[in-house]
Amino acid sequence: MTTLNAAANDTAATAGPRGFASPQGVAGSQRAHTAPANASSVELRNITRTFGAVTALSDFSLTIEPGEMVALLGPSGCGKTTALRALAGLEDINAGTILIDERDVSDLPAYKRDMAMVFQAYSLMPHMTVRQNLEFVLKIRKISAAERASITERYLDMVGLSGHAAHFPHQLSGGQRQRVAIARALAVNPKVLLLDEPLSALDAKVRVQLRDEIRALQLESGITALFVTHDQEEALAMADRVAVMYQGKIAQIGAPQDIYERPESEFVARFIGQVNDISGTVSGQHATTAFGSVPVLPGSVTGAATVLVRPENIAIEPAGSGAPASTVGIIEQFNYLGSVASVAVRCGDVLINAQVPARDGQHLVLGSAVTVALREAPALAV
Amino acid sequence: MSTYASHVVHGPEHGSVRDDVTVTPDAPVRAGARAAATRRQTAFRRVVYLVSILLMAVPLVSLVEYSVRFPLTGAVNLDAWRKIFAGRTNEYTTLDNLWLGLTNSLIMCLITVVIMLVLLLPTMVWVRLSGKKFSRFVEFVCLLPLTIPAVVLVVGLTPIYRVISTQILNSSAIWLSFAYVILVLPFSYRAMDAGLRAIDLKTLVEAARSFGASWLTVLLKVIVPNIKGALVSASFLSCAVVLGEFTLARLLAKDNLQTALFVINLSDSQVAAAMSFLALALTTILLVVMDLIMNRAPKAPKKLDASKTYRAPKKRIKDTTR
Amino acid sequence: MTTVPTSVGRADAARPTGRGAGGRPPAAATSVSSRTWVRALSRDAGILPFFAYTGIFLLLPTILVIIGAFTARDGGFSLDGIHQALNARTAKIFWTTTWLAAVTAIVGAVVGSVIAYALSTAPQGSVSRRVITAFNSVLAQFGGVMLAFAFIAMLGTNGMITRLLHSLFSVDVPSNLLSSMAGIVLVYIYFQIPLMVIVFVPAVDGLRSEWRETTMSFGGTTRTFWLSVAGPILAPRFLGALLLLFANAFSAFATAAALISQQTIIVPMAIESAIRNENNTNMTAYAQVLALGMILVIAVIMALYAALQRKTARWEQ
């Protein structure tokens, strides 16, 4: 929370008047942005949604600050899409309240909620050209013809598709279609921008590129946004805050760094990134394992436990002669991945997966003996 | 930690989120706009169903009623049905024509289906395997009979069948099957095309051939078992076409079920009504069974139960990360 | 049919030495090119059985009809057959068939599309939907004579509904209803509607839920959706189905034959009477001209249909 504000203050001076900083050099959630005064706040309060015997959302609550982009992340069936659709008004709710700008919209039908949604696929009307797709929604909002034309031009330009205005959706690639869908959503200046797995249907490379573009557009326009994804990387890269969901509830919500580095439950620790299960004993604020001791995160158990250590927090050195036997292992697998190397070390009956920068991995040889140590990063013990 | 979060779950002891899915009793939906729309839609659908079923049932019911109620006097008896179920006996020689027509039609069902399968299946498999070269041609030819009316076809078939009746084969009605194969092409093509599309034909065939299977084996033991549904569908549809065919038989002066019904109507309309009902009912059952067989596909997969994928380790896991 | 000559042309090109047309290598062919030619043929041999069979029983009859319409009795080319056929009676028959097809197509399309929409709202696996679809299939495509009998049982002189209407509402159904045009229209509608349902349900199914939800999330009402999205998307399919219904009714024979005797008021029946007329062998030519006329009408209809299909196929993403 404080880190976010600090970052905002830091870069506000260097960023443009709307606080928009280029996405290239800024990582994760710490992008500076100042929400324009007219951005909307969203609150979902104690939402419950059941389908017969199945509970999709169970007492689900979420607040989205004006101008913020929140990601709902979770495995299939966790309720993230239901939550998004409930906010959009496309799903009914059994209990709870939905507030936009502190106004109760729970009983409002979808078409009165002043939002805009981008779907995974088939967002665009197939029988309309790109330009017509945009003008169609602007017409619904009763915007005059002249303004429609200029708004359409502006937003198509923003996504770099001005040359395709007269094309039909089937003439565009998947990435282009999604760009049009996003331009269309932004063009109506909605209170909330909703995205339902917008990148899932695209190729990997297009996905990464579009990810940054969507984020940049959202920041520039300052619109409050909620998006759903099952791709962790996407969630961590795009959102201001990530809500990890499980079985209709939020397991943990926080900035991407918090989610990744300070998971509060085993589910979140395992769901995000990778972990090694290392047995150890917890006493006080530390866990002692065969490979060293680490501080433990709040939410850890005490006594005998499994410490969940991330691969990048495993330090590997070629074994010197004086190394204690319990920390020595043999490299069983070595996978060079370009920028990093993934190394699997067998210590006794445990297989430890470590991730080292590629250049450090240059002196590691398959079959050689190495010492395994744990870095001083806090870990969860379960 | 995060002041935004108003709801954070801390699971039981070991930090794992393993609460069971809360099962609430069917809670009422809150003034749901979507639910209201769905209700309206369901009501509309039910009304339409009701009206359609009524409209479809009335002709059938009338047929049955007609068959038991002598039209002029109103006397009700099961004479017509008795005649039918007596089968081919000397007692009701007036029905001989009907049995002849029925027998012919049933034989033609068989012949047509056999010819259709033997002709169409290898061809379609071959076309799919040898690239796209002839696929549009085959598709076009197979859909052509939909657009060439039977009456038109029969004008051109008359001289051909004259030759067949006199010089090549005899004048028995069952040789109509040759022409019937053409009539069933569109239905069979569509059904088998759907079936072949659904399997990875090239890979199956290449795999079988690489193990040394002969083409016959490939066809009978590899392809056919995998498209059984489509083959059944094509066969049943073909039977339905053959049983209901009237135009060719009439204009080429052959006896089949429909022409026999037509003739019998002139002498004993109640039997005609009873037989029509049976034929309609049978064809409907044929199609319903076919549909059930075709669509025995598994239902949409249930959503993954996350607890099964992210099961907390019951004991300490000695190795492996995720 | 305008498309048939093309396939005949293609047929010739693909045929082996059998007919001796097309495919004959140039006189100065080297042994190499004739070998590749033979190899190409044997590669394509798989199409032969299908080709031969449909050639004899589908293409040949069609060719005979077309050629026969232009052949004089002594075998030479002649337009006599056509001249003979172009009289008021033929025109009347074609006209009757045309408006019969048009009326029943329009009624069938409108009513059928409503039923199709209702069916599409049901989940695809639902039993009622499948049974209704199967029964529609039977009525639409395999019903002919049996449907006619059913109508006689319903609305004939002693029909069930006739008696019901008389006793309940004192309404008298005209006794010759079924052998009149009105009766035929009624029976035709009875198989046109199911055909529309079968043909149109896939189109309605193709309306993706995302389109409706997009419209709603942007502020459009159901009315907006139907006017600006579903309507324009379904319109070509609707028109295409309408054309199919027209072609279907135009070609229908069995139903009319079962209801009407001693009259030839529609083209198929005229063809029948021409074929069966053993007294006057000139009638064969007449039948062929009528058949040619039908081919032309249907060809136009199907060309329009194909154009519409191509237009909507573009939209499939």
Side-chain angles (χ1 to χ4, degrees):
Chain A
M1 174 68 183
T2 43
T3 37
L4 207 60
N5 275 341
N9 289 334
D10 277 343
T11 48
T14 50
R18 267 156 145 266
F20 170 63
S22 147
Q24 262 79 14
V26 188
S29 62
Q30 295 195 0
R31 296 207 186 127
H33 68 278
T34 46
N38 55 358
S40 300
S41 69
V42 175
E43 188 182 345
L44 292 127
R45 219 186 264 167
N46 305 110
I47 309 283
T48 303
R49 173 67 171 140
T50 56
F51 296 99
V54 175
T55 307
L57 289 175
S58 170
D59 205 29
F60 173 94
S61 294
L62 173 69
T63 309
I64 311 180
E65 298 296 315
E68 196 187 18
M69 174 121 112
V70 171
L72 293 180
L73 174 68
S76 307
C78 68
K80 53 191 193 293
T81 306
T82 312
L84 186 79
R85 290 168 62 89
L87 175 57
L90 298 173
E91 289 283 354
D92 293 325
I93 53 180
N94 295 84
T97 329
I98 301 176
L99 300 120
I100 302 194
D101 287 330
E102 268 133 60
R103 219 179 110 238
D104 187 346
V105 299
S106 325
D107 290 328
L108 278 187
Y111 65 90
K112 288 201 184 136
R113 292 199 188 187
D114 196 9
M115 303 188 193
M117 185 126 158
V118 175
F119 291 93
Q120 186 176 343
Y122 303 108
S123 273
L124 302 179
M125 306 304 176
H127 63 301
M128 299 181 183
T129 61
V130 165
R131 173 174 290 125
Q132 287 168 339
N133 260 289
L134 268 84
E135 299 211 346
F136 170 58
V137 298
L138 291 170
K139 195 163 173 199
I140 295 179
R141 304 269 175 151
K142 306 218 173 29
I143 299 190
S144 75
E147 264 208 72
R148 286 204 296 266
S150 83
I151 294 180
T152 304
E153 283 308 318
R154 190 179 356 136
Y155 279 90
L156 281 183
D157 205 43
M158 209 186 282
V159 293
L161 288 173
S162 305
H164 295 268
H167 287 166
F168 285 91
H170 68 88
Q171 294 170 297
L172 304 177
S173 70
Q176 288 171 326
R177 282 183 222 156
Q178 290 300 74
R179 281 213 206 98
V180 174
I182 288 159
R184 185 180 62 173
L186 292 174
V188 298
N189 199 20
K191 292 208 167 81
V192 190
L193 175 65
L194 304 165
L195 304 127
D196 188 356
E197 305 212 33
L199 307 175
S200 300
L202 304 174
D203 294 336
K205 239 189 161 156
V206 177
R207 224 183 286 171
V208 174
Q209 193 186 349
L210 207 51
R211 194 164 82 189
D212 293 338
E213 285 182 33
I214 296 179
R215 178 54 164 165
L217 287 167
Q218 185 265 333
L219 284 173
E220 181 167 341
S221 58
I223 284 188
T224 312
L226 179 67
F227 80 95
V228 160
T229 180
H230 60 265
D231 185 324
Q232 304 168 24
E233 214 181 279
E234 212 171 279
L236 296 178
M238 285 171 70
D240 289 308
R241 278 190 301 147
V242 176
V244 182
M245 284 186 66
Y246 180 63
Q247 289 186 346
K249 297 180 163 66
I250 294 185
Q252 184 174 348
I253 182 168
Q257 248 166 317
D258 294 335
I259 299 286
Y260 187 83
E261 293 174 7
R262 285 172 282 281
E264 292 167 7
S265 64
E266 182 178 355
F267 169 72
V268 177
R270 290 192 187 281
F271 185 73
I272 309 280
Q274 295 187 335
V275 289
N276 285 294
D277 289 38
I278 299 179
S279 51
T281 320
V282 179
S283 70
Q285 297 292 322
H286 277 78
T288 319
T289 73
F291 309 103
S293 98
V294 286
V296 288
L297 292 169
S300 298
V301 301
T302 52
T306 309
V307 185
L308 303 175
V309 183
R310 299 225 183 263
E312 60 271 17
N313 291 331
I314 307 273
I316 299 204
E317 289 294 316
S321 47
S326 59
T327 65
V328 176
I330 308 288
I331 296 185
E332 253 189 32
Q333 284 173 34
F334 184 91
N335 295 322
Y336 175 75
L337 298 173
S339 56
V340 297
S342 158
V343 186
V345 181
R346 182 165 294 283
C347 295
D349 50 2
V350 191
L351 190 69
I352 309 270
N353 283 299
Q355 195 179 72
V356 300
R359 75 182 85 85
D360 292 353
Q362 275 166 13
H363 52 275
L364 296 174
V365 177
L366 198 63
S368 63
V370 291
T371 49
V372 175
L374 305 181
R375 295 195 205 276
E376 264 296 301
L380 191 68
V382 300
Chain B
M1 173 125 339
S2 29
T3 53
Y4 289 149
S6 18
H7 190 98
V8 175
V9 166
H10 291 288
E13 274 87 312
H14 296 274
S16 65
V17 183
R18 287 265 290 144
D19 11 310
D20 291 314
V21 170
T22 20
V23 177
T24 55
D26 265 16
V29 180
R30 236 196 92 139
R34 302 302 316 139
T38 314
R39 272 197 299 275
R40 276 196 301 269
Q41 200 182 62
T42 313
F44 168 71
R45 177 170 75 241
R46 294 222 174 102
V47 167
V48 170
Y49 273 12
L50 196 64
V51 172
S52 334
I53 291 176
L54 266 174
L55 289 179
M56 294 190 293
V58 170
L60 286 180
V61 171
S62 307
L63 275 176
V64 174
E65 200 235 20
Y66 192 91
S67 67
V68 297
R69 183 189 171 282
F70 193 66
L72 291 177
T73 63
V76 175
N77 59 42
L78 293 173
D79 271 351
W81 292 93
R82 236 175 274 137
K83 283 187 202 163
I84 290 181
F85 286 109
R88 197 181 207 139
T89 64
N90 289 327
E91 200 183 338
Y92 301 119
T93 46
T94 45
L95 295 188
D96 275 353
N97 193 279
L98 184 60
W99 301 125
L100 177 67
L102 180 61
T103 315
N104 283 345
S105 279
L106 290 175
I107 296 178
M108 285 196 281
C109 272
L110 193 63
I111 301 180
T112 308
V113 168
V114 168
I115 298 181
M116 180 271 295
L117 288 175
V118 168
L119 182 70
L120 210 50
L121 183 60
T123 306
M124 288 178 74
V125 168
W126 180 84
V127 164
R128 284 191 91 88
L129 290 178
S130 64
K132 294 291 178 137
K133 200 159 162 199
F134 284 108
S135 91
R136 290 190 67 192
F137 168 70
V138 170
E139 182 173 1
F140 174 74
V141 172
C142 284
L143 296 183
L144 205 53
L146 278 181
T147 59
I148 298 184
V151 275
V152 167
L153 203 60
V154 79
V155 173
L157 280 173
T158 311
I160 297 179
Y161 263 90
R162 214 176 294 133
V163 169
I164 292 182
S165 308
T166 53
Q167 293 169 15
I168 303 180
L169 294 162
N170 57 28
S171 61
S172 165
I174 60 178
W175 308 127
L176 266 184
S177 311
F178 299 143
Y180 283 174
V181 170
I182 301 293
L183 291 186
V184 308
L185 275 184
F187 304 95
S188 313
Y189 174 81
R190 280 217 197 105
M192 295 212 280
D193 189 51
L196 287 173
R197 243 182 246 273
I199 63 172
D200 190 352
L201 186 69
K202 226 172 161 90
T203 311
L204 278 175
V205 170
E206 282 174 0
R209 292 284 293 166
S210 76
F211 280 106
S214 70
W215 278 110
L216 194 63
T217 311
V218 168
L219 197 63
L220 293 179
K221 295 232 167 111
V222 176
I223 298 179
V224 165
N226 277 299
I227 53 169
K228 268 195 295 222
L231 293 179
V232 167
S233 174
S235 307
F236 278 21
L237 279 171
S238 304
C239 281
V241 171
V242 171
L243 287 176
E245 210 285 322
F246 176 75
T247 309
L248 289 193
R250 161 117 158 182
L251 292 181
L252 291 172
K254 311 266 188 236
D255 289 316
N256 74 355
L257 177 62
Q258 300 293 322
T259 56
L261 275 177
F262 189 90
V263 166
I264 213 80
N265 182 48
L266 300 173
S267 58
D268 194 337
S269 53
Q270 286 189 293
V271 170
M275 211 53 203
S276 296
F277 172 78
L278 283 177
L280 274 175
L282 176 68
T283 318
T284 310
I285 293 175
L286 208 68
L287 289 185
V288 170
V289 168
M290 173 199 92
D291 181 67
L292 289 175
I293 293 181
M294 274 295 275
N295 296 322
R296 244 187 327 186
K299 294 208 181 87
K302 285 201 297 227
K303 287 201 164 167
L304 281 178
D305 184 351
S307 67
K308 293 204 168 76
T309 329
Y310 300 97
R311 185 177 295 282
K314 286 206 166 62
K315 56 181 171 68
R316 286 167 189 174
I317 295 179
K318 295 301 180 81
D319 57 349
T320 126
T321 61
R322 282 177 16 158
Chain C
M1 209 153 169
T2 48
T3 42
V4 171
T6 340
S7 61
V8 171
R10 256 189 285 170
D12 269 303
R15 272 194 112 78
T17 46
R19 288 264 166 109
R24 201 186 281 277
T30 65
S31 57
V32 173
S33 76
S34 69
R35 242 188 288 133
T36 49
W37 178 71
V38 168
R39 218 181 305 139
L41 271 180
S42 55
R43 222 186 305 134
D44 291 343
I47 198 69
L48 284 184
F50 176 78
F51 188 69
Y53 192 96
T54 54
I56 298 176
F57 287 103
L58 178 59
L59 298 176
L60 185 57
T62 318
I63 298 172
L64 286 177
V65 165
I66 298 177
I67 294 182
F70 293 104
T71 310
R73 215 171 335 161
D74 56 11
F77 176 84
S78 138
L79 288 175
D80 279 350
I82 306 217
H83 282 312
Q84 277 187 331
L86 287 178
N87 55 36
R89 190 166 160 273
T90 312
K92 183 166 193 301
I93 296 178
F94 264 91
W95 170 243
T96 310
T97 320
T98 305
W99 79 249
L100 171 66
V103 165
T104 57
I106 292 175
V107 174
V110 169
V111 177
S113 56
V114 172
I115 300 180
Y117 171 72
L119 266 186
S120 76
T121 62
Q124 279 209 324
S126 96
V127 174
S128 46
R129 173 169 166 164
R130 285 151 76 173
V131 170
I132 293 185
T133 306
F135 198 68
N136 274 325
S137 217
V138 175
L139 280 180
Q141 294 161 79
F142 316 118
V145 170
M146 304 182 282
L147 193 61
F149 287 171
F151 261 79
I152 295 176
M154 262 206 307
L155 288 169
T157 323
N158 295 295
M160 190 175 93
I161 301 294
T162 314
R163 297 190 332 263
L164 225 94
L165 286 176
H166 180 82
S167 55
L168 284 183
F169 305 113
S170 297
V171 170
D172 273 333
V173 173
S175 63
N176 64 346
L177 173 70
L178 288 178
S179 31
S180 70
M181 216 47 205
I184 301 209
V185 167
L186 197 56
V187 184
Y188 270 39
I189 289 178
Y190 235 77
F191 64 68
Q192 291 284 61
I193 294 180
L195 184 65
M196 181 66 178
V197 172
I198 292 176
V199 170
F200 201 56
V201 162
V204 185
D205 274 344
L207 283 179
R208 306 214 67 104
S209 59
E210 283 91 339
W211 295 336
R212 188 184 208 141
E213 291 176 344
T214 301
T215 313
M216 289 196 329
S217 100
F218 276 98
T221 57
T222 307
R223 193 162 158 269
T224 320
F225 172 68
W226 280 100
L227 279 179
S228 310
V229 181
I233 293 182
L234 285 179
R237 292 290 186 85
F238 180 84
L239 282 173
L242 188 69
L243 289 173
L244 270 182
L245 260 63
F246 182 91
N248 187 49
F250 197 85
S251 323
F253 171 70
T255 316
L259 289 174
I260 301 182
S261 49
Q262 313 297 340
Q263 295 176 61
T264 57
I265 49 175
I266 57 174
V267 178
M269 300 188 76
I271 292 183
E272 184 205 11
S273 85
I275 289 186
R276 290 180 129 204
N277 192 330
E278 286 162 11
N279 298 334
N280 188 353
T281 44
N282 221 5
M283 290 304 256
T284 333
Y286 183 55
Q288 284 162 334
V289 172
L290 287 177
L292 179 65
M294 282 191 78
I295 291 180
L296 286 174
V297 172
I298 306 277
V300 168
I301 302 288
M302 293 317 285
L304 287 172
Y305 177 75
L308 276 171
Q309 284 291 83
R310 251 179 284 129
K311 186 173 174 199
T312 42
R314 272 185 336 174
W315 296 344
E316 324 278 80
Q317 290 177 342

